[in-house]
């Protein structure tokens, strides 16, 4: 039995974004071989697009049906959305992660990883003074980079980014 | 027979392989025990590091991690009420109340021994059942593989997550990802949006690392600051009488574990929940009421989830269909090492089967040894704050993604799928079906097209094919039931059937 599902904050918007993305993929799938036959290379992608659109339509109807009885002010809705999807640690981690990837290409693995680890750990650690956090974060970051470099490059013979 | 025994004992007699199984099991126990670090995550990240390795060495390590990880999740479920792995969700129901009663040590001891026993039942089922399944599977036609793939996706979609619809959407996303690049049958570019960089497709390992490593790390940032709880754990080896008292339930739960594990797409988490439910129904006089510290509530899920490991290897090795998310990752590893799991695996590479059985047996023995020792070290590792752990997971994921092809693009793919997977996860879409879709997509599509070509693209002929053979008919009915299970009709149908059964018994 399918239990009653909650409606997540901003779910109709996400469903609409997924539908838009699926339509874009559908247009690309249509270019492969059109509707030329079930064993053609384009049939699989088109079939999956159809499954996705059907599923997402069901989800959209469900989420729209589960609207709150009394509409909440936009500010409250945005706050709930931010808390559910982008709480401060995640909102900070995603740009930091992207910067890390850029750093890997610009300065290489060791400095980029050290900085990423040190900054993330220092920001995430709580209940300590700034100096203690920086010291611990720096030590852990240096230790981790050294171990990863030795373990993977020397022992596993894996090239590092 | 002698050759099989030789393959079985390969890791037992080779000190390096023996060490790898031991290290894998130990690492698995600790990784599985740390909330936020799943076995699937560990194996996903690990396979990219083992490309340059010999296949046997890579497999020895992975099997150890899998076996240890499924068990390791129970530790934190008991001590902190946080299951270290999904397979330990049911364990927390009675495990944590036992810890609150001061019986954490005894509870860990019991779970270790029943996990060991359950593991053996699963391995025995694999050793005895897989050759039989492999022989039957030689009779499988392309339509049967297509149906098996669809069944796997539907099972994982319906049993995990918020709804069947979300599971199906997730599976379809995975299948679409698998279709990017040159078509294997016609060499025509598909879903590349005109980019030559996409002609080679998206590396499924990058998808796995993104979904299980980075997405999981981002999801774990919700409430990461919760302080680690310190626990005192004393003597844990259980008495023989305790083990014997729970032996019948252990065996019954192990049988459930093997059965569920062997179903394509269903793994230890579902097996554990079903075994817990079985214990609740079948044990009339539990040691304490269920939910308040009943040992039976620990024994059943722990025996079942470790038995499911052996079970999950049956469809993986014989049909090339993953039994759960971890075996999906192991299938990817086998492909990378040039092996093709499926009915011909036992003919082409018989050593691989008995070698895996030998590794699982060895890992199960190490599980007992490491499970009953090293508790103090364990307590220290579990206390490592997530603030330190999660950034390290991200760095390991990045290194793993780069190691696939030494290509920075794979790192961007992994991070992109990680962020996408995180959003899906927050909105109740499970990531298991996405990854299974990526693995099963090519199997389902290629076999669908072969079937269609065989019936000259006639839909009527295709429909007839679905009921043309007893095996096919069973699979078709299985799929229809899986779909029905996710609709509002299912409870009505079950209620109607139960009503009739009650009427008939009067």
């Amino acid at each position: 039995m399918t239990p009653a599902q909650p409606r997540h904050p901003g779910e109709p918007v996400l469903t609409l974004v997924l539908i838009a993305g699926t339509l874009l993929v559908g247009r690309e799938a249509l270019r492969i071989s059109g509707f030329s036959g079930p064993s053609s290379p384009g049939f699989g992608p088109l079939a999956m697009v159809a499954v996705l659109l059907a599923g997402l339509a069901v989800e959209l109807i469900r989420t729209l049906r589960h609207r709150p009885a009394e509409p909440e002010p936009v500010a409250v809705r945005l706050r709930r959305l931010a808390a559910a999807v982008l709480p401060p640690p995640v909102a900070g981690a995603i740009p930091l992660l992207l910067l890390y990837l850029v750093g890997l290409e610009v300065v290489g693995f060791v400095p980029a990883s050290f900085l990423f680890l040190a900054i993330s750990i220092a920001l995430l650690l709580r209940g300590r003074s700034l100096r203690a956090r920086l010291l611990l974060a720096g030590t852990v970051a240096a230790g981790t980079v050294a171990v990863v470099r030795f373990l993977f490059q020397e022992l596993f013979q894996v090239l590092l980014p | 027979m002698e050759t099989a025994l030789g393959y079985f004992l390969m890791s037992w007699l080779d000190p390096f392989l023996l060490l790898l199984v031991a290290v894998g099991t130990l690492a698995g126990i600790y990784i599985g025990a740390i909330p936020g670090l799943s076995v699937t995550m560990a194996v996903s990240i690990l396979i990219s590091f083992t490309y340059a390795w010999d296949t046997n060495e890579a497999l020895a390590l992975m099997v150890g991690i899998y076996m240890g990880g499924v068990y390791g999740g129970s530790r934190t479920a008991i001590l902190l009420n946080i299951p270290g792995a999904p397979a330990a969700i049911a364990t927390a129901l009675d495990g944590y109340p036992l810890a609150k009663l001061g019986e954490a040590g005894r509870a860990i001891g019991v779970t270790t021994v029943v996990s060991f026993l359950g593991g053996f039942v699963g391995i025995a089922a694999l050793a005895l059942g897989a050759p039989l399944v492999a022989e039957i599977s030689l009779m499988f036609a392309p339509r049967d593989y297509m149906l098996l793939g669809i069944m796997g996706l539907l099972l994982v979609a319906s049993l995990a997550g918020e709804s069947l619809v979300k599971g199906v959407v997730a599976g379809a996303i995975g299948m679409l990802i698998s279709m990017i690049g040159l078509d294997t049958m016609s060499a025509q570019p598909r879903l590349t949006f005109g980019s030559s960089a996409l002609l080679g497709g998206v590396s499924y390992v990058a998808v796995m690392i993104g979904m299980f490593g980075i997405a999981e790390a981002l999801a774990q940032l919700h409430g990461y600051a919760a302080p680690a709880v310190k626990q005192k754990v004393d003597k844990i080896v259980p008495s023989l009488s305790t083990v014997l008292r729970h032996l019948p339930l252990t065996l019954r739960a192990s049988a459930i574990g093997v059965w569920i594990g062997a179903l394509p797409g269903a793994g230890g988490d579902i097996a554990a929940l079903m075994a817990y439910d079985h214990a609740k129904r079948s044990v009339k006089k539990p040691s304490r009421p269920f939910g308040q510290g009943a040992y039976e509530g620990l024994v059943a899920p722990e025996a079942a989830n470790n038995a499911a490991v052996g079970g999950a290897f049956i469809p993986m090795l014989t049909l090339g269909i993953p039994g759960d998310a971890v075996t999906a990752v192991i299938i990817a590893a086998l492909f990378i090492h040039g092996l093709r799991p499926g009915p011909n695996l036992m003919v082409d590479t018989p050593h691989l089967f008995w070698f895996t059985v030998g590794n699982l047996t060895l890992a199960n023995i190490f599980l007992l040894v490491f499970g009953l020792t090293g508790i103090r070290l364990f307590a220290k590792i579990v206390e490592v704050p997530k603030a330190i752990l999660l950034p390290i997971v991200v760095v390991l994921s990045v290194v793993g993604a780069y190691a696939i092809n030494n290509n920075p693009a794979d790192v961007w793919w992994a991070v992109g799928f990680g962020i996408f997977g995180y959003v899906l996860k927050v909105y109740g879409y499970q990531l298991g079906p996405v990854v299974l879709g990526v693995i099963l997509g090519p199997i389902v599509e290629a076999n669908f097209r072969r079937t269609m070509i065989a019936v000259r693209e006639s839909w009527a002929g295709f429909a007839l094919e679905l009921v043309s053979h007893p095996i096919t008919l069973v699979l078709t009915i299985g799929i229809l039931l899986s779909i029905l299970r996710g609709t509002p009709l299912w409870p009505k149908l079950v209620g109607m059937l139960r009503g009739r059964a009650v009427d008939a018994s009067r």
Side-chain angles (χ1 to χ4, degrees):
Chain A
M1 185 182 163
T2 310
Q5 297 167 52
R7 176 179 141 152
H8 303 273
E11 196 167 1
V13 179
L14 174 87
T15 314
L16 282 171
V17 170
L18 287 176
I19 289 175
T22 308
L23 287 172
L24 208 68
V25 175
R27 200 183 66 168
E28 185 69 10
L30 207 55
R31 283 188 191 149
I32 303 168
S33 51
F35 293 104
S36 55
S39 66
S40 66
F43 184 83
L46 277 175
M48 282 308 107
V49 165
V51 170
L52 268 175
L53 285 177
L56 291 169
V58 171
E59 278 304 306
L60 187 65
I61 293 166
R62 183 188 66 77
T63 50
L64 291 176
R65 269 190 193 159
H66 284 75
R67 266 191 197 159
E70 283 183 27
E72 291 169 321
V74 178
V76 175
R77 276 155 65 186
L78 282 176
R79 247 201 322 271
R80 286 203 319 133
L81 177 69
V85 186
L86 281 178
V90 180
I94 292 175
L96 195 62
L97 185 54
L98 296 175
L99 275 174
Y100 173 41
L101 297 198
V102 176
L104 281 174
E105 292 186 26
V106 178
V107 294
F109 176 75
V110 173
S113 299
F114 172 79
L115 282 174
F116 171 76
L117 284 169
I119 295 170
S120 328
I121 294 170
L123 289 174
L124 289 172
L125 277 174
R126 286 188 179 182
R128 291 176 172 91
S129 68
L130 181 66
R131 204 180 144 185
R133 277 192 290 167
L134 285 176
L135 195 70
L136 180 61
T139 313
V140 172
T144 307
V145 171
V147 169
V148 167
R149 193 167 171 191
F150 169 75
L151 209 65
F152 296 116
Q153 198 155 302
E154 306 301 325
L155 211 65
F156 290 176
Q157 295 178 338
V158 170
L159 284 179
L160 294 174
Chain B
M1 191 64 202
E2 267 178 40
T3 334
L5 190 66
Y7 295 142
F8 178 88
L9 293 175
M10 237 162 108
S11 292
W12 298 58
L13 303 174
D14 181 326
F16 187 59
L17 290 175
L18 189 79
L19 180 75
L20 284 174
V21 179
V23 169
T25 313
L26 187 66
I29 293 174
Y30 286 86
I31 292 169
I34 297 170
L37 298 190
S38 68
V39 194
T40 323
M41 180 199 279
V43 179
S44 305
I45 296 172
L46 190 81
I47 60 166
S48 49
F49 299 132
T50 58
Y51 289 163
W53 290 24
D54 179 72
T55 314
N56 290 349
E57 291 167 6
L59 271 177
L61 192 73
M62 268 183 267
V63 164
I65 290 196
Y66 185 16
M67 197 57 140
V70 170
Y71 157 76
S74 68
R75 291 279 185 92
T76 37
I78 293 167
L79 292 172
L80 314 172
N81 201 22
I82 307 168
I89 290 169
T91 312
L93 300 174
D94 279 283
Y96 188 59
L98 274 167
K100 284 202 288 190
L101 291 166
E103 293 182 33
R106 198 171 159 220
I108 288 176
V110 170
T111 55
T112 308
V113 175
V114 296
S115 294
F116 169 75
L117 294 173
F120 264 130
V121 173
I123 295 162
L126 171 68
L128 300 172
L132 196 73
V133 177
E135 239 167 73
I136 296 170
S137 69
L138 286 172
M139 295 190 287
F140 277 25
R143 57 171 188 253
D144 301 318
Y145 281 104
M146 175 195 75
L147 291 171
L148 262 174
I150 295 173
M151 201 165 114
L153 275 171
L154 280 173
L155 265 173
V156 79
S158 65
L159 294 173
E162 283 181 3
S163 73
L164 175 68
V165 178
K166 280 187 172 170
V168 170
V169 167
I173 291 173
M175 285 184 73
L176 265 179
I177 295 168
S178 78
M179 290 168 185
I180 297 171
L182 289 178
D183 174 34
T184 47
M185 286 169 96
S186 67
Q188 201 171 329
R190 301 196 300 177
L191 307 178
T192 58
F193 293 88
S195 160
S196 58
L198 284 173
L199 285 176
V202 179
S203 160
Y204 43 78
V205 182
V207 180
M208 284 176 193
I209 291 177
M211 295 274 172
F212 292 134
I214 291 169
E216 191 61 45
L218 289 173
Q220 290 287 328
L221 283 172
H222 289 251
Y224 76 95
V229 183
K230 295 193 181 201
Q231 281 276 345
K232 204 177 161 189
V233 183
D234 45 14
K235 189 172 168 277
I236 66 165
V237 181
S239 68
L240 186 66
S241 63
T242 310
V243 176
L244 287 176
R245 192 166 62 245
H246 296 302
L247 193 62
L249 179 62
T250 305
L251 295 176
R252 292 202 306 275
S254 302
I256 293 172
V258 170
W259 175 245
I260 301 292
L263 287 177
D269 44 352
I270 295 154
L273 286 165
M274 289 187 77
Y276 184 82
D277 184 56
H278 166 77
K280 260 175 90 173
R281 286 167 195 268
S282 66
V283 178
K284 300 290 173 216
K285 287 181 185 167
S287 48
R288 285 192 192 92
F290 280 97
Q292 294 174 31
Y295 276 96
E296 291 77 3
L298 269 187
V299 167
E302 280 304 305
N305 63 26
N306 272 72
V309 173
F313 270 91
I314 298 175
M316 185 196 110
L317 291 176
T318 58
L319 306 169
I321 304 278
D324 61 4
V326 185
T327 38
V329 179
I330 295 177
I331 282 191
L334 292 178
F335 279 135
I336 287 160
H337 285 284
L339 297 163
R340 297 201 74 78
N344 288 328
L345 181 119
M346 290 167 86
V347 180
D348 299 339
T349 47
H351 73 277
L352 192 81
F353 175 73
W354 289 109
F355 175 68
T356 304
V357 176
N359 284 339
L360 281 168
T361 313
L362 204 52
N364 205 34
I365 294 168
F366 282 128
L367 183 153
L368 186 70
V369 176
F370 297 140
L372 295 176
T373 54
I375 299 295
R376 277 188 192 162
L377 175 68
F378 171 83
K380 287 268 171 255
I381 288 184
V382 172
E383 285 166 20
V384 173
K386 281 187 184 174
I388 292 175
L389 217 55
L390 297 178
I392 295 175
V393 168
V394 171
V395 170
L396 289 179
S397 300
V398 164
V399 175
Y402 182 78
I404 305 166
N405 295 312
N406 300 329
N407 183 356
D410 286 328
V411 181
W412 284 95
W413 277 120
V415 171
F417 280 114
I419 295 170
F420 179 53
Y422 163 75
V423 174
L424 289 180
K425 203 174 161 74
V426 167
Y427 281 97
Y429 292 88
Q430 289 296 306
L431 304 183
V434 180
V435 172
L436 275 178
V438 176
I439 298 285
L440 291 174
I443 298 173
V444 172
E445 197 199 4
N447 286 299
F448 167 75
R449 285 164 78 181
R450 281 189 200 117
T451 310
M452 273 323 228
I453 290 167
V455 295
R456 296 180 185 173
E457 301 210 329
S458 150
W459 285 105
F462 179 74
L464 209 63
E465 279 281 303
L466 298 183
V467 292
S468 59
H469 189 274
I471 293 174
T472 320
L473 188 63
V474 169
L475 292 171
T476 306
I477 292 171
I479 287 174
L480 292 176
L481 285 176
S482 294
I483 295 171
L484 201 64
R485 207 173 171 276
T487 66
L489 279 175
W490 181 256
K492 285 180 194 162
L493 202 72
V494 172
M496 214 168 72
L497 288 172
R498 279 199 184 140
R500 274 193 192 167
V502 170
D503 288 346
S505 65
R506 274 177 195 163

